[in-house]
């Protein structure tokens, strides 16, 4: 057992590789899109600029 | 692209036509944001295709602290990232995931880091969301007492051990290849909300851990092509974990060649013993309550 921390958390593979090879992730996302659409329709909106945050967006 | 397109349409449906929309993409500073903006400009399914009044931007910072102006976000989307920890709390020599090690110390270290990161993430997003805003999170998860991703990670660890035995990776590199990943259970997800149903001004509206279909299995059943199945798994696993594993190798190595070799071995192992993966994902929807919440400090959520 090594107690030294490894802080090197890297991003996804670049140059579009992740986008081309994320079928598994895409399947999971596709499954919840109807829920997402319903959720998005419940948010109260005023006169302000509409802001959507995509946290951990990758490419 | 589809989640952002849906969100834009849904929010605009509740306001004046052509209303200005800001879409903020965030990721680690090392993320390939150039490819993101290229895709926004060129991909046929881009939410920017034919759009007016939509303004995409990017923030290159870790989301374990607030990174967007307070109280400004109407909708938050997060998919397939929260299984990653903010850092690796411990390294182990008997698995590629500390959570699947035989060591109870290692398992506990990962559980604690996972709990801390989850609280930090929720608190940070809470500071960014407007009252009534929603946040949806989708991530790799576990059913109680049943690891969901042990098969592919076990085969990836097998490939690492193969390379160590072939003197292609040394003992230190083998240790550093402990991936900072953690699969939460529904109990882990709900834990911060256990007192009164809220945490840092956020309330859970929906939380589930459900099985997710194996994307590759139907084609394998049709063709029986085990080598293709192996290559498909290797491509997806490399896309997500290749850079982190490359960073675990010594700097003087030919890292690209080592990672090529590692995933070729992984593909062979998958092809040698194909099976249908029974993975699990968590889907969590949270609502920002009307309560005012002061911005959190990292690790003090």
């Amino acid at each position: 057992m090594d107690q030294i921390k490894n802080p090197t958390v890297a991003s996804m593979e670049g140059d579009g590789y992740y986008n081309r090879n994320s079928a598994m992730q895409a399947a999971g996302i596709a499954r919840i899109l109807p829920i997402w659409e319903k959720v998005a329709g419940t948010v109260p909106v005023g006169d302000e600029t509409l802001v959507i945050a995509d946290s951990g967006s990758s490419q | 692209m589809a989640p952002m397109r849906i969100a834009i349409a849904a929010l605009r449906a509740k306001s004046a036509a052509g209303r200005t929309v800001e879409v903020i993409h965030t990721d680690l500073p090392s993320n390939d944001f150039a490819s993101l903006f290229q895709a926004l400009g060129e991909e046929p399914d881009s939410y920017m295709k034919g759009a007016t009044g939509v303004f995409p931007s990017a923030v290159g910072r870790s989301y374990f602290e607030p990174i967007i102006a307070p109280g400004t976000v109407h909708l938050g989307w997060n998919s397939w990232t929260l299984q990653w920890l903010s850092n690796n709390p411990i390294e182990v020599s008997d698995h590629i995931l500390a959570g699947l090690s035989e060591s109870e110390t290692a398992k506990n270290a990962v559980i604690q880091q996972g709990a801390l990161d989850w609280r930090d993430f929720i608190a940070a997003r809470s500071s960014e969301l407007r009252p009534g805003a929603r946040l949806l999170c989708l991530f790799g998860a576990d059913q109680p007492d049943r690891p969901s991703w042990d098969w592919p990670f076990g085969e990836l660890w097998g490939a690492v051990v193969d390379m160590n035995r072939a003197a292609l990776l040394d003992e230190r590199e083998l240790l550093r290849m402990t991936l900072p990943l953690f699969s939460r259970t529904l109990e882990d997800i709900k834990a911060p909300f256990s007192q009164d149903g809220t945490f840092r001004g956020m309330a859970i509206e929906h939380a589930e851990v459900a099985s997710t279909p194996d994307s590759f299995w139907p084609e394998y059943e049709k063709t029986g092509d085990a080598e293709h199945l192996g290559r498909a798994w290797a491509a997806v696993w490399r896309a997500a974990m290749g850079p982190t594993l490359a960073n675990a190798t010594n700097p003087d190595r030919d890292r690209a060649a080592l990672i090529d070799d590692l995933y070729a071995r992984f593909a062979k192992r998958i092809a040698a013993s194909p099976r249908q993966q029974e993975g699990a994902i968590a889907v969590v929807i949270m609502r920002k309550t009307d309560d005012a919440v002061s911005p959190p400090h990292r690790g003090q959520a």
Side-chain angles (χ1 to χ4, degrees):
Chain A
M1 187 73 56
D2 191 320
Q3 301 290 336
I4 300 171
K5 287 185 180 181
N6 175 7
T8 317
V9 180
S11 299
M12 303 297 100
E13 194 79 62
D15 295 328
Y17 185 90
Y18 179 78
N19 289 351
R20 293 190 299 275
N21 295 285
S22 49
M24 190 182 75
Q25 293 90 331
I29 288 170
R31 188 185 141 188
I32 63 166
L33 288 181
I35 302 172
W36 173 238
E37 186 168 19
K38 194 174 170 186
V39 166
T42 64
V43 172
V45 170
D47 295 332
E48 68 285 346
T49 296
L50 303 171
V51 180
I52 303 163
D54 178 16
S55 303
S57 61
S58 190
Q59 306 140 43
Chain B
M1 296 293 178
M4 295 303 105
R5 194 170 53 246
I6 288 170
I8 291 166
L11 290 181
R12 276 183 162 168
K14 296 169 68 77
S15 56
R19 182 81 169 275
T20 300
V21 181
E22 193 179 348
V23 182
I24 306 172
H25 302 275
T26 85
D27 211 312
L28 294 171
S30 55
N31 181 56
D32 183 4
F33 286 108
S35 287
L36 169 64
F37 285 102
Q38 191 171 357
L40 284 176
E42 298 175 1
E43 291 293 326
D45 67 338
S46 166
Y47 65 79
M48 291 301 292
K49 195 85 174 174
T52 56
V54 178
F55 298 90
S57 63
V59 176
R61 291 176 62 193
S62 165
Y63 60 33
F64 289 109
E65 55 189 337
I67 54 176
I68 296 175
T72 57
V73 176
H74 293 80
L75 267 175
W77 168 269
N78 167 261
S79 61
W80 290 107
T81 69
L82 279 166
Q83 63 277 5
W84 287 96
L85 297 171
S86 62
N87 66 83
N88 212 359
I90 198 162
E91 293 172 345
V92 295
S93 58
D94 64 341
H95 208 286
I96 203 157
L97 298 182
L100 294 178
S101 166
E102 291 296 316
S103 162
E104 291 300 320
T105 303
K107 288 177 185 173
N108 289 332
V110 173
I111 289 169
Q112 284 175 20
Q113 189 64 56
L116 179 66
D117 284 352
W118 180 229
R119 296 165 74 92
D120 281 342
F121 175 84
I122 298 167
R125 298 295 77 72
S126 177
S127 82
E128 298 166 353
L129 295 178
R130 303 172 58 82
R134 303 296 200 280
L135 168 65
L136 186 150
C137 303
L138 159 71
F139 47 95
D142 268 350
Q143 302 284 4
D145 305 319
R146 188 161 65 85
S148 302
W149 303 93
D150 54 329
W151 172 60
F153 282 113
E155 296 298 352
L156 186 55
W157 175 244
V160 170
V161 171
D162 287 347
M163 290 185 69
N164 174 251
R165 286 181 180 150
L168 296 168
L169 293 172
D170 66 27
E171 296 299 319
R172 190 71 194 88
E173 290 171 314
L174 181 135
L175 269 177
R176 285 198 300 259
M177 285 193 165
T178 308
L179 286 166
L181 289 165
F182 172 60
S183 294
R184 294 178 181 85
T185 63
L186 194 57
E187 187 180 356
D188 296 326
I189 290 163
K190 291 182 173 177
F193 303 87
S194 60
Q195 274 199 320
D196 65 356
T198 66
F199 174 71
R200 298 292 300 190
M202 298 284 273
I204 287 184
E205 288 196 326
H206 174 86
E208 66 171 317
V209 171
S211 62
T212 184
D214 183 332
S215 305
F216 310 127
W217 193 252
E219 187 176 355
Y220 172 70
E221 279 195 313
K222 202 186 304 177
T223 66
D225 188 343
E227 288 186 5
H228 179 76
L229 179 73
R231 287 194 298 273
W233 268 105
V236 166
W237 245 225
R238 178 174 186 159
M241 292 152 235
T244 298
L245 291 174
N247 282 349
T249 61
N250 295 329
D252 59 347
R253 299 280 204 182
D254 181 346
R255 286 176 157 176
L258 281 177
I259 296 303
D260 283 347
D261 193 350
L262 177 66
Y263 280 97
R265 290 169 188 261
F266 173 69
K268 277 185 185 173
R269 296 180 71 92
I270 296 286
S273 58
R275 74 165 79 162
Q276 187 170 12
Q277 161 66 9
E278 294 178 18
I281 54 170
V283 180
V284 185
I285 299 165
M286 287 174 267
R287 174 178 53 84
K288 176 70 183 289
T289 68
D290 293 334
D291 302 333
V293 177
S294 58
H297 300 289
R298 178 89 176 91
Q300 295 178 350

